Amino acid sequence: MSVNHPFNETRTTSVLVTGGAGYIGSHTLVELLSNGVRPIVIDNFENSSPESLRRVASLCGSEPFTLYEGDIRDSGLLDRIFSEQKIESVIHFAGLKAVGESVREPLRYYDNNVGGTVKLLEAMQAHDVQTIVFSSSATVYGDPHTTPIKEDFPRSAVNPYGRTKLMIEEILTDLHATDPKWKIALLRYFNPVGAHPSGVIGEDPNGIPNNLLPFISKVAVGQLEELSIFGDDYPTPDGTGVRDYIHVVDLARGHVHALRAFQKETVPNFLTVNLGTGRGYSVLEMVHAFERVSGKTIPYEFAARRAGDVATCFADPALANRLLGWSAQLGIEEMCRDAWNWQSKNPEGFKR
Ligand code: NAD
Ligand code: UDP
């Protein structure tokens, strides 16, 4: 474990991590633990497995962290957690994230994501915990008029999932306006990919993946036959969609940087930053990079554009660098290498 301890009272105070068993949450737990921070996890395992937490603990060689299995909409449980634990701040990952599902079941998304966040904020307010780092998304930029995308670009959403992120951003903005003591970071993630380099934890989507890299990984491991590339006629260099893929370990580090900046009071109490690399890659570039590192051929066919997809989306990450001293360190090779390492070592994900 790293001996770098950015938090002064690491032995007595804790960070509550909602959704800590999930993809980004589990990688963030590793970064917190290796920085001497004690995480407390709440997760209902709706989209994850307790196995990810067991693996985080074994990876970090840490004393097991505290887990509360349950739902962030359960006010009684939240009250118990904040009463039993000395919590200094919250990293809020818990939420549903499947765009298509959000179109079919909007109320479930509003209830879980928006309703759950309100319950969480009420509990924090009641227990005088006023620091929160929130998982927002580049989806709040809708179809950007230009790239790279800066934080002050107009926001819009084209599906209920995106609207939950916009609504939560508004709720947090209102909260801070009412009481500026609240320390709030809106971290707008671009496209998280890859896995911990150990191959011990990684992304484990249910069923057929919606996202590009997990889909490619499953083709490479022989579980899916071929990749459908959604659109070859976008106004991009090779006609396929361009995204800002960011290694999940870099993303996880961004959360530690945000907490540290709040603790050291080196940033304003309300901040909104992009977490991306600043570099876009096309679908075909990702396919070819994955083929290079894995030695596997990825069969693909071109298919129609996917509804709601934009041609190009990549971040200007300069503000995160300036405010948080954070920048992405890992490139496309590491992203594909670590995604493949995880997938090939765990073809069934956390199931074995
Ligand atoms: P994930 O599904 O792997 O993790 C979310 C975790 O929250 C899961 O462990 C799930 O069981 C838990 N959860 C969901 N609802 C809950 C509830 N009501 N109570 C308790 N636990 C609950 O997703 P992820 O990829 O790790 O994403 C984490 C956050 O980041 C989400 O809010 C997501 O919207 C956001 N985000 C993700 C991406 C991405 O591409 N992965 C991009 C931008 C933003
Ligand atoms: N994509 C694709 N085939 C797939 C999944 C994704 O061609 O099976 C493309 C998609 O159209 C987009 C890029 O890959 O251009 C990234 O898609 P992903 O769903 O991973 O992220 P998002 O759309 O949220 O940016």
Side-chain angles (χ1 to χ4, degrees):
M1 272 189 4
S2 157
V3 289
N4 174 21
H5 292 266
F7 294 83
N8 299 329
E9 300 176 304
T10 53
R11 295 299 149 203
T12 50
T13 59
S14 309
V15 175
L16 178 66
V17 182
T18 75
Y23 172 45
I24 305 169
S26 56
H27 288 81
T28 302
L29 293 180
V30 173
E31 296 306 310
L32 291 170
L33 286 163
S34 64
N35 278 281
V37 183
R38 182 172 166 253
I40 307 284
V41 173
I42 176 171
D43 204 302
N44 63 1
F45 301 117
E46 168 139 12
N47 195 39
S48 56
S49 147
E51 176 63 13
S52 73
L53 297 177
R54 282 192 283 275
R55 294 202 186 181
V56 168
S58 74
L59 186 61
C60 296
S62 63
E63 55 196 66
F65 39 83
T66 307
L67 164 69
Y68 290 86
E69 179 170 354
D71 199 296
I72 57 164
R73 289 164 294 180
D74 181 346
S75 300
L77 175 62
L78 289 179
D79 190 49
R80 183 155 77 79
I81 298 173
F82 283 105
S83 302
E84 286 178 2
Q85 305 291 337
K86 190 164 180 250
I87 291 168
E88 183 186 68
S89 48
V90 175
I91 306 181
H92 179 30
F93 294 109
L96 302 173
K97 62 168 184 177
V99 170
E101 194 178 65
S102 80
V103 174
R104 291 191 299 277
E105 300 176 74
L107 296 181
R108 187 169 151 237
Y109 271 66
Y110 290 121
D111 179 39
N112 195 82
N113 293 7
V114 182
T117 301
V118 172
K119 294 285 185 213
L120 174 67
L121 294 170
E122 284 171 350
M124 291 176 67
Q125 179 104 287
H127 290 271
D128 248 352
V129 177
Q130 291 192 297
T131 302
I132 183 165
V133 175
F134 172 62
S135 302
S136 191
S137 165
T139 193
V140 301
Y141 295 115
D143 193 354
H145 58 283
T146 186
T147 45
I149 299 169
K150 291 182 193 294
E151 288 80 356
D152 60 0
F153 275 25
R155 291 172 309 156
S156 66
V158 291
N159 55 61
Y161 166 70
R163 263 185 289 281
T164 68
K165 294 297 178 193
L166 277 183
M167 286 177 185
I168 296 167
E169 287 201 354
E170 296 297 346
I171 290 167
L172 290 168
T173 306
D174 287 342
L175 195 57
H176 180 261
T178 305
D179 182 354
K181 284 201 303 300
W182 273 88
K183 295 181 176 181
I184 297 172
L186 308 181
L187 304 186
R188 293 183 180 152
Y189 311 156
F190 279 66
N191 288 60
V193 294
H196 192 270
S198 63
V200 169
I201 56 171
E203 188 170 13
D204 185 17
N206 276 328
I208 297 178
N210 294 312
N211 295 114
L212 180 65
L213 248 272
F215 199 105
I216 292 178
S217 304
K218 287 199 178 284
V219 173
V221 85
Q223 292 175 1
L224 293 170
E225 259 177 38
E226 70 174 357
L227 171 71
S228 293
I229 297 185
F230 301 142
D232 62 354
D233 57 352
Y234 283 109
T236 59
D238 64 21
T240 67
V242 168
R243 296 289 183 276
D244 187 338
Y245 298 94
I246 173 167
H247 197 295
V248 66
V249 171
D250 274 332
L251 190 67
R253 285 177 39 245
H255 297 74
V256 179
H257 279 251
L259 286 183
R260 185 187 300 163
F262 277 148
Q263 201 198 33
K264 291 186 172 167
E265 302 194 327
T266 55
V267 288
N269 277 359
F270 189 95
L271 58 102
T272 304
V273 295
N274 290 337
L275 294 184
T277 65
R279 166 84 155 86
Y281 288 99
S282 74
V283 177
L284 281 174
E285 284 177 305
M286 292 307 282
V287 168
H288 294 138
F290 198 97
E291 287 181 330
R292 270 198 308 278
V293 301
S294 66
K296 299 278 178 187
T297 300
I298 308 297
Y300 64 82
E301 54 155 18
F302 289 111
R305 291 183 181 190
R306 184 171 65 179
D309 275 0
V310 302
T312 302
C313 175
F314 60 92
D316 179 339
L319 189 62
N321 192 4
R322 196 161 73 245
L323 288 178
L324 306 179
W326 172 92
S327 61
Q329 306 292 312
L330 302 166
I332 185 172
E333 299 283 325
E334 287 98 342
M335 297 178 207
C336 294
R337 179 199 67 199
D338 294 335
W340 174 237
N341 186 37
W342 155 253
Q343 184 68 67
S344 52
K345 284 185 176 156
N346 305 270
E348 304 303 327
F350 287 115
K351 283 171 208 73
R352 62 181 198 141

